[in-house]
Structure formats: C-alpha cells, structure tokens
Amino acid sequence: MSEHSKRSVVVERTGSGQFVATNTRGGSISFDTADGDQDTGFTPVELFLAAIGGCTAVDVDIATGRHAEPTRFSVTVAGDKVSDDLGNRMTNLEVVFTVTFPDGEGAERARAILPRAVRTSHDRLCTVSRTVEVGTPVTTTVADA
C-alpha cells in the first residue's frame, strides 16, 4: 500500500442523533438517526446506499459520457434492512441504472457500451460495491481519551 492509498473520514456528534462526517480535504456531510416522515436527513444506511450508487455512477458516466451527454442518468440503489442471527445488515442489494442518450452517432456508441460499463464497474472498478462483495473485515477500537 502506498501513502496515497489511505482514505479516511472523521465522524463527529453534533447533537442528539446528529452527526457530521468530514473528509481530509475539508468536505462534510451531515446525517442523523431519524427515519420519521418529517426528517429529511440521510441515515447511515442511506449514505451506504448512496455510496454504492455514487461510486458505480461515476464509473459508468466516465465510460459513456465521453461519447455522448446523457439526457437522463439515474441510479436507484435499494435493499432490505434485516435483523437476524447475523445482526443488523442489508440484504438483496440492487442497483438499477436508468440512462438515456439523445439521437446521434456518439449516443449510439454510449448506448452500446452502457451494459459493459455497468458490468465492469460492478465486477472490477467500484471500490464501494467491490468492498461489500469481497467482504472486507472491519476492526473497531476505542482510543484513549
């Protein structure tokens, strides 16, 4: 591993059930624990789904976008949250691309490579979904405060 392979974020509590994650470049995103109808904030599970969708969307956009600008590019990521003998987790994860291109030669090429781009992202490129599929262990520790 190189010095440039390390990735990290810091998650800090900002209030009861409210958090902000900050990356090393200073970007941040807030999230919370509420699931109610009035709350519009993302939960950690929704961020997880967004990470899968965002990662694969970037891969596919790079591959197809060099040929044509899409008129629609949407990725829906869904799954079932379960609690069983293995603990809380997501199952039945599904990623669905809805991508359309205008008419034209470049668009025909983009449409033709779309299925391969989605497959390549899933099988090799998307770090987030690859990490889930491979089953990378997560270690936890408590730092001295």
Side-chain angles (χ1 to χ4, degrees):
M1 273 189 257
S2 74
E3 157 187 338
H4 299 292
S5 67
K6 188 75 163 181
R7 302 292 190 272
S8 69
V9 297
V10 175
V11 175
E12 295 185 275
R13 183 182 187 268
T14 58
S16 178
Q18 299 178 337
F19 303 86
V20 64
T22 304
N23 64 26
T24 57
R25 296 174 312 283
S28 63
I29 187 167
S30 334
F31 60 98
D32 55 50
T33 58
D35 259 335
D37 291 337
Q38 304 295 5
D39 183 28
T40 58
F42 278 81
T43 66
V45 170
E46 291 165 337
L47 289 175
F48 169 73
L49 296 174
I52 292 171
C55 182
T56 194
V58 167
D59 293 339
V60 173
D61 187 45
I62 289 170
T64 59
R66 65 180 72 144
H67 301 286
E69 184 67 23
T71 54
R72 179 169 184 206
F73 192 113
S74 175
V75 182
T76 302
V77 184
D80 298 314
K81 185 176 176 184
V82 298
S83 181
D84 59 17
D85 293 346
L86 298 175
N88 295 343
R89 59 196 173 89
M90 294 294 294
T91 63
N92 302 318
L93 293 173
E94 181 179 36
V95 179
V96 178
F97 279 81
T98 304
V99 182
T100 56
F101 298 97
D103 291 333
E105 186 177 316
E108 288 303 316
R109 177 75 180 133
R111 273 192 284 282
I113 67 171
L114 178 62
R116 184 182 60 192
V118 169
R119 193 170 46 254
T120 301
S121 177
H122 174 267
D123 293 347
R124 303 287 312 157
L125 299 177
C126 176
T127 304
V128 179
S129 63
R130 295 303 315 141
T131 300
V132 172
E133 293 238 351
V134 170
T136 302
V138 176
T139 59
T140 59
T141 60
V142 176
D144 293 333

